[in-house]
Amino acid sequence: MRRAATTPLRRATGLLAGMLTGLAGLGWACVAWAVGEERARRVTASLVRIERARLDAWYDHHPGGGRGGRAYLVLRGLVGLTGGYLAATGLFVAGLLLYGGAQQLLAGDADQVPLEFPGVRLTGSSWAYGLVLGVIALALSAGWCAVLVGMERRLADRFLGLDPSEAMARRIAELTASRTGIVRAVDDERRRIERDLHDGVQQRGVALAMLLGRARHTADPVLVDEAYAESRLLLDELRGVAWQIYPTALDTLGLRAALEEVADRSAVPVRVEYALAWRPAREIETAVYFVAREAITNANKHAAAGMIVVEVREKEGEVAVTISDDGRGGAVRGSGGLSGLERRVRALDGSLTVESPEGGPTTVTARLPCG
């Protein structure tokens, strides 16, 4: 699961740690020339790894690639120390103003402070000025912290991210792998459909033909009734196979209605929480639908669950679907039907995670671009 990185406390902790690592990087850049090239390279790489770990831990930012060097450490140190000092000073001043204003307000011994502007003369209590100025200083410091975090992220992307040729090579490799995965998923789906037709529809059809043959020779009304019942079962089997291939409700009524249909067919109670105010692209809807249906099917077959919850909502510019159950757990990502779903999701630049400790609960989450 992705960590939340937007809380002021996490940002402040990351900036404080950045002041320390920035000081270390600047200090090392000043003495690196005197220790030998090989040792300097190793220490520099270690300091860059520390910076990567800080960005990942406190900002949830992890630039790819293996670049980085003393130039990054110097710039990172200057930004971290200067920006961190300004942020800390602003917060300190805001704290003093707020504390002094609150203390005077509670003690009731505030002074009247005149303020004169061209053509305007104001007089107010010192506690009111302290609180107002303290709030302004706090807001400015918080805004500067947000700007500083953005500067650090852009600096990391510039110096630690992939160079264009490496990024292109990785993207080509990802597209090749996803194309292969889609072909394999299509083949797996065809095998499943063939198996369903052979084991279900075909057997019903053979039984119906035998009953009709016997009824034609004997004219037994009982056999006619049995043939009629068998034909109804055959139609139900055909509808079931067609629904498994692709539900018409997904195109005609949308994702929410298709998920509610899956919930109605489930032996385990399913609660659908749909929070999208708009309709995603068709391929995104299809991927979300099949992820949810496969997870519900697995929970019905293997989890011994008492309740399944399906949540569909937008998170950070992505469509996120989360399927959780209170069953026995033990599901493994990449096994069974989940492997085909993962290939389908990755082909759309999405991600699939499975959390299923022994004893439960199980949570399957897919995140896809909004399209």
Side-chain angles (χ1 to χ4, degrees):
M1 298 176 64
R2 298 181 65 181
R3 295 183 292 268
T6 57
T7 62
L9 179 60
R10 290 184 63 83
R11 278 196 292 223
T13 305
L15 291 175
L16 179 60
M19 293 180 67
L20 300 177
T21 59
L23 180 62
L26 280 176
W28 168 248
C30 294
V31 301
W33 60 272
V35 300
E37 187 64 28
E38 185 61 30
R39 180 178 296 178
R41 188 181 298 110
R42 290 199 302 268
V43 176
T44 299
S46 298
L47 291 174
V48 170
R49 281 196 297 270
I50 292 173
E51 288 292 347
R52 286 181 181 275
R54 183 182 65 87
L55 291 168
D56 182 47
W58 302 111
Y59 301 156
D60 194 26
H61 189 68
H62 27 269
R67 297 191 297 165
R70 269 174 274 178
Y72 169 70
L73 294 178
V74 170
L75 291 175
R76 162 79 264 286
L78 291 174
V79 170
L81 287 176
T82 306
Y85 174 77
L86 292 176
T89 301
L91 292 173
F92 179 73
V93 171
L96 287 180
L97 291 171
L98 291 173
Y99 174 76
Q103 188 179 46
Q104 286 190 348
L105 175 62
L106 295 175
D109 58 352
D111 299 325
Q112 295 296 313
V113 179
L115 292 178
E116 294 188 6
F117 301 96
V120 179
R121 187 176 188 278
L122 300 176
T123 301
S125 298
S126 57
W127 65 264
Y129 289 131
L131 292 179
V132 171
L133 292 176
V135 170
I136 293 175
L138 184 62
L140 290 175
S141 299
W144 171 245
C145 287
V147 171
L148 190 57
V149 170
M151 292 172 59
E152 289 198 13
R153 287 175 170 172
R154 286 191 291 272
L155 193 64
D157 290 337
R158 170 65 179 82
F159 284 91
L160 303 183
L162 298 172
D163 59 48
S165 60
E166 188 178 357
M168 181 65 70
R170 287 198 179 187
R171 183 58 176 163
I172 291 173
E174 290 175 359
L175 292 175
T176 301
S178 64
R179 183 186 63 183
T180 304
I182 283 294
V183 172
R184 189 179 300 116
V186 170
D187 291 340
D188 291 343
E189 185 68 11
R190 286 173 175 171
R191 293 188 187 96
R192 186 191 62 78
I193 294 171
E194 189 276 333
R195 186 168 57 250
D196 290 343
L197 291 173
H198 180 273
D199 297 341
V201 175
Q202 181 174 313
Q203 300 299 324
R204 293 287 183 191
V206 171
L208 177 60
M210 293 176 62
L211 285 172
L212 289 175
R214 293 171 57 192
R216 186 179 63 177
H217 288 90
T218 62
D220 188 350
V222 175
L223 292 178
V224 174
D225 292 338
E226 291 180 2
Y228 174 76
E230 194 67 32
S231 67
R232 296 304 300 263
L233 293 175
L234 177 60
L235 289 174
D236 291 339
E237 290 276 359
L238 284 171
R239 291 193 188 99
V241 171
W243 177 77
Q244 289 180 13
I245 295 173
Y246 193 89
T248 56
L250 189 58
D251 286 338
T252 57
L253 301 178
L255 179 58
R256 183 171 193 164
L259 291 176
E260 289 175 349
E261 183 180 1
V262 176
D264 291 339
R265 290 172 176 261
S266 172
V268 178
V270 177
R271 185 172 76 249
V272 177
E273 298 178 1
Y274 191 90
L276 293 182
W278 42 272
R279 186 165 182 178
R282 178 176 297 182
E283 60 271 17
I284 302 299
E285 275 192 330
T286 303
V288 169
Y289 169 81
F290 279 107
V291 167
R293 198 182 76 181
E294 183 65 28
I296 292 172
T297 300
N298 288 345
N300 275 269
K301 290 182 178 179
H302 310 297
M307 185 67 187
I308 303 172
V309 179
V310 179
E311 300 180 27
V312 182
R313 61 187 73 250
E314 181 182 358
K315 290 184 179 180
E316 301 176 0
E318 296 178 320
V319 177
V321 55
T322 302
I323 307 94
S324 55
D325 66 71
D326 55 1
R328 63 170 66 100
V332 179
R333 172 184 161 187
S335 63
L338 292 178
S339 60
L341 293 178
E342 185 173 9
R343 290 192 291 267
R344 180 192 289 269
V345 170
R346 288 181 59 190
L348 296 172
D349 286 334
S351 62
L352 181 74
T353 59
V354 179
E355 296 181 4
S356 184
E358 291 294 337
T362 296
T363 302
V364 178
T365 303
R367 298 174 71 99
L368 297 120
C370 287

